[in-house]
Amino acid sequence: MTTPHYRFGDYKLLPAERLLFRRGSEVALTARAFELLVAFVERAGQLLAKDDLMKRVWAGVVVEENNLAVQVGTLRKLLGAEAIGTIPGFGYRFTLPVLGVASGEAADTPHSTGNLAMRLPALIGRETELADAEALLRGHPVVTLCGGPGVGKTRLAQELALRLRGDFTDGAWWVDLTLLRDDEPVAAAIARTLGLPPGSDPLTMLPARLLALKLLLVLDNAEHRAADVAAVVDVLARGTERVSLLVTSQLPLHAQGERVYRVAALPLADAKRLLVTRASDADSGAHGTDTAARICEALDCNPLAIELASSRLDALGMDGLAARLHQRLTLLAPGDALRPSRQNALASALSWSHELLAERERRVLRRLAVFPGSFSLESAALVLADETLSTTAAVEAVLALVDRSLLSVDRGAQRRFRLLETMRLFALDKLAAADETALAQARHCAGLRWLFDDAYEESWRLSPTVWTARYEPELAGLWAALAWAGKHDLASAAALFGAAAPLWMARATQARPHALALAALLADEAEAVAIPTPVLARFWWACARSHSAVHPGLAREAAERAARLYRALGDERGEYLALVEHAFNWRVDGPEARAALAAAGMLESPGWPAAVLERGLTTEAVLHLTSGRHEEARRCYREAQALCERGGFEAGVYRARLNLADQARAAGELDLAVQLGEALLAAPGDVGDLACLASIMGNLIGALVAQGHFGRAREVALDCPRRLGRLALDDQLWVSLDALALLHLQDGRIQLAAQLAGTADREFEAHGQMQRQPNEAADRATLAAWLAGQLDPADITRLALEGRRMSLSDAMQAAFDF
């Protein structure tokens, strides 16, 4: 169960953590005022008696009633006089609209054999759905199959009706509600289908005519006449004993006795089977490839989309179809313009669903298309709400789209929503047609900026596990918003990049291109002049963190900028973090690093969170390590580990463990270094942090090489591309080029080893690290000695120059080619 939190106006309230934020800034309240605010927000809009409030806020304490009035006055000063209304003689009411988020699971919301089609294509999959729906239909008078356009509600209902028709002595009857005549009542259409006279009042007549019958009535496509269908279903559920109703609809009817069964897309295995079954025999050779899976995933495993796509296989083949999936809305258009119908094209089905929406819901649907992945109600409300649409109305519209099966729900630890990709492409077209694309993208960026301003401050106070679980799903939206803002709104891009730093820190490889691009623009003082100083300070600190260790020179430059700005603001915590980052990125002991660390120490507060203090201890350890004070370094790393364990900061514990392995190797304790490194590699913990994983693997390779265990070192190296990926490999493991060169030297590839030595020298210089750390320096010295024993000095120089001319990508590819 997720801890609930609330938004109202500019405020965000986290009751469990006892935190209140106003647009990213923490708001201080007394304990009594905070408890009173929680009471109001949890029951917003309700009358709260004074006695009930006194008992909650001053439980077990006898106080005067004017204490309550004082605290109410405090909250009115903060939120506005109109936020809390007084009900004379009774109590108070909180009047601001409140959005509760992350609060756990919400309620989900004539005798004949009939007229069913007798011959239908085989139903692929759906065994579980058929069994579940059949059980529901046997136990309840009304079952509604709910799902989005093309998901297969109608086909599932057909199969279910065919299976059960033998249980109904008066048959199973199919009513396609899309074929209703203009203004024809639903009850009249049912009577017409059954061959009954309509009468003057078909809704009243129908239950009496069906009372003695046992039949199954299937009402297909109820969404466009939902209210009329609900009225008929209510009447039949109450007025008959043996009539069962099966309904297909994009939204529930909320009718008497109704049970809703949600129909989802096909599992991938069944989707592939459907595509292969419908495909032409001429293309059967491609059926066993991964291409079919790629096609089905791109089509959201939507049965109708797959059926339509398979009709193009004769002309395009599997590979040709896969290559044209970016054109899916036109690719899946009706194949026969002379015989259009709602169910012969997914684009037509989407248009049908769209036309049934109210104007507000249409606007919300198309604006939600800016989310590239899933989104929470909180982020949707922040993005959608504007002067014409309140937060409450935005949330209501989102939930209405869920009811209509146009939004999918991810039911995990926190409930999230998404537009399936085909629906998203359709909505993007509608957004462009309304000339709202730029506006929607700007609102997406502004909404996420607000979300991450709050999240940044929460990150220092919440458990990292809780915080990460809450915000990690926002990553896809973050990257999209940064890409847009970098081109259109520099101030928002800088603010968003800095505020989201705690989220992308473990993925700095992905964040670094944004840092480089934005820093190049903001280095021009004229560009930065209009950006608030707090935004710039946090941006430059975030840049320093993104470059940390990978490019120490850039990290130091960014950290210096951040420290100056934080000092001007009087923000001691911010200045401390920037100074520590500056000291850390000298990477070796020296006067500049010592001066920066000493300045940070003058600001340090023992009450700061572990996530802050851990960085200072780690930096101190690095300076001890690089000057040979191994016991002092080990003490700092162990203190950092203990601090992080007490504070529940798992990422800091992980870093301390890998640093202890690195320190053991530097101290000559190779067996311990390998033991610690192998343990981390076997149970890597926070594997999402590629920088840490790269450090573990690089350190272990170097320790194994130093031991002479070349076979195991080669095994770890061969595993690096798989576990890190090519981008992180080039970005992180260039510091291990000397150790990798030693492995190639052992395999007899002497010239390549000498070239890699030249590449390594160039990269250390290019990254602003003119002096290697102890373990890297030891690898370089060993490599130089071995090369000197096998090559002439002139050859070593020539090959090193060749290595300096190699691109890093080519050098890394050669280094991992064993």
Side-chain angles (χ1 to χ4, degrees), residues 449-516:
R449 177 178 173 180
W450 188 348
L451 183 78
F452 280 111
D453 276 343
D454 289 343
Y456 179 85
E457 289 305 320
E458 291 172 37
S459 71
W460 303 110
R461 295 164 174 80
L462 303 188
S463 155
T465 301
V466 171
W467 188 91
T468 301
R470 181 175 293 174
Y471 291 106
E472 191 166 34
E474 306 294 345
L475 262 175
L478 170 66
W479 301 133
L482 277 174
W484 179 85
K487 298 176 182 176
H488 301 93
D489 185 349
L490 190 56
S492 290
L496 191 54
F497 184 79
L503 182 61
W504 56 247
M505 203 77 76
R507 299 162 184 79
T509 299
Q510 294 171 268
R512 196 163 296 115
H514 294 286
L516 290 168

Side-chain angles (χ1 to χ4, degrees), residues 400-477:
L401 294 174
V402 173
D403 268 351
R404 289 185 171 275
S405 306
L406 298 179
L407 282 178
S408 297
V409 183
D410 297 343
R411 301 172 190 274
Q414 50 180 320
R415 182 166 291 193
R416 294 181 66 81
F417 307 84
R418 70 171 66 243
L419 285 170
L420 293 181
E421 188 59 21
T422 304
M423 174 60 81
R424 181 170 173 267
L425 292 173
F426 175 85
L428 282 172
D429 282 349
K430 294 296 182 183
L431 193 66
D435 196 24
E436 294 178 349
T437 301
L439 173 64
Q441 288 172 325
R443 293 209 58 81
H444 180 232
C445 184
L448 287 189
R449 177 178 173 180
W450 188 348
L451 183 78
F452 280 111
D453 276 343
D454 289 343
Y456 179 85
E457 289 305 320
E458 291 172 37
S459 71
W460 303 110
R461 295 164 174 80
L462 303 188
S463 155
T465 301
V466 171
W467 188 91
T468 301
R470 181 175 293 174
Y471 291 106
E472 191 166 34
E474 306 294 345
L475 262 175

Side-chain angles (χ1 to χ4, degrees), residues 699-720:
N699 289 340
L700 183 56
I701 291 168
L704 289 165
V705 168
Q707 274 188 325
H709 293 166
F710 300 110
R712 175 57 184 154
R714 195 173 294 107
E715 289 176 0
V716 176
L718 287 169
D719 204 29
C720 286

Side-chain angles (χ1 to χ4, degrees), residues 525-588:
E525 296 295 333
E527 289 285 349
V529 69
I531 300 177
T533 302
V535 169
L536 281 176
R538 190 161 61 184
F539 168 76
W540 286 114
W541 169 78
C543 279
R545 286 307 307 266
S546 73
H547 298 311
S548 186
V550 175
H551 202 307
L554 290 177
R556 291 196 302 271
E557 180 183 342
E560 281 187 300
R561 287 176 179 264
R564 287 197 302 270
L565 292 167
Y566 277 125
R567 192 175 305 120
L569 290 167
D571 185 335
E572 292 187 347
R573 188 191 69 185
E575 186 182 356
Y576 172 88
L577 286 167
L579 288 169
V580 164
E581 210 58 44
H582 183 260
F584 178 84
N585 279 286
W586 283 100
R587 306 296 290 149
V588 293

